[in-house]
Amino acid sequence: MKNINLRIGLNYVLLRQNIIMNIIDTHTHLFVKEFDEDRNEVIERALASGIKKMIFPCITTSDIPILLELATKYPESCFPAVGLHPSDVKDDFNTEIEIIEENLKTGKFIAVGETGIDLYWDKTFIDIQKKSFEKQVLLAKKYNLPIIIHVREAFNEVFEIIDKHNDENLKGVFHSFTGDLEQAKKICGYGNFMIGINGIVTFKNSGLGKVVEEISINKLILETDSPYLSPAPKRGRRNESSHLVHIAQKIADIKNISIEELQDNTNKNSIKLFGNKLA
Ligand code: NI
């Protein structure tokens, strides 16, 4: 009798976990070399943890073969984007942009990105970073896809380009958001843009929790940015998509809502932005 009760109890917990966990990691780089040894295990672990859908933003066009390979292997779960990361913009970026457009024509990509402007490490390439970003914004509009934007120490530069092109046909996400409340409000004002929150929100003294508290839940989507920025209590280790549950729990706590409610809202936002493939 005791054993039966124990088994019923366990099934109940598992059932509840299944109900609760069905979250979308909108930004994860499980295709990079950090996962070469155990990529399939990492993906399976994410799926088993209730991370049912993952978006893989491209860094350079050399990532395209592995992105397509993973999309073929996990057609219900892994969705690639194609773009050129701002830190990888070099003098030959126009060639990359051409390759990006050729690949957009195939219809196999869920978004353009990641792109944006990063002035943290290096300001040498600021002019071509801006040009590369602007061209990718125009491609996103042309192919009616969302744009995944990376901003580091460059909100003014990024806002200038979005201000120039924003209309009802432009949509996207400011991923790994670390700005202040004023910048968050500016993004919300664009209409079709979301704010991507990752493990930084779990870091003590990041200040991001205060901003998240103020942003409407209708504007938030979840991401890990694996293998970087692993959330507490996994901080300092290689990040992976299964860690998304810690980020979701932290945001639910900040918003003072249940994790189910957080999940329902952020899933709805992700589907609105990236389309029904995530449903
Ligand atoms: Ni990224």
Side-chain angles (χ1 to χ4, degrees), residues 27 29 114 175 225:
H27 197 113
H29 302 284
E114 65 181 280
H175 112 88
D225 204 12

Side-chain angles (χ1 to χ4, degrees), residues 85-89 115-131 133 149-161 178:
H85 192 286
S87 301
D88 287 273
V89 174
T115 175
I117 303 177
D118 189 324
L119 302 179
Y120 180 76
W121 296 110
D122 195 345
K123 291 189 175 64
T124 323
F125 297 108
I126 179 165
D127 288 334
I128 54 175
Q129 278 198 36
K130 283 186 186 173
K131 283 183 187 143
F133 175 48
I149 305 174
H150 165 113
V151 187
R152 206 163 175 203
E153 311 233 325
F155 269 110
N156 290 340
E157 289 80 359
V158 166
F159 284 153
E160 198 182 309
I161 291 169
T178 51

Side-chain angles (χ1 to χ4, degrees), residues 27-29 57-59 85 114 148 150 175-176 223 225-226 228:
H27 197 113
T28 180
H29 302 284
C58 181
I59 307 207
H85 192 286
E114 65 181 280
I148 299 169
H150 165 113
H175 112 88
S176 191
E223 61 169 66
D225 204 12
S226 302
Y228 318 106

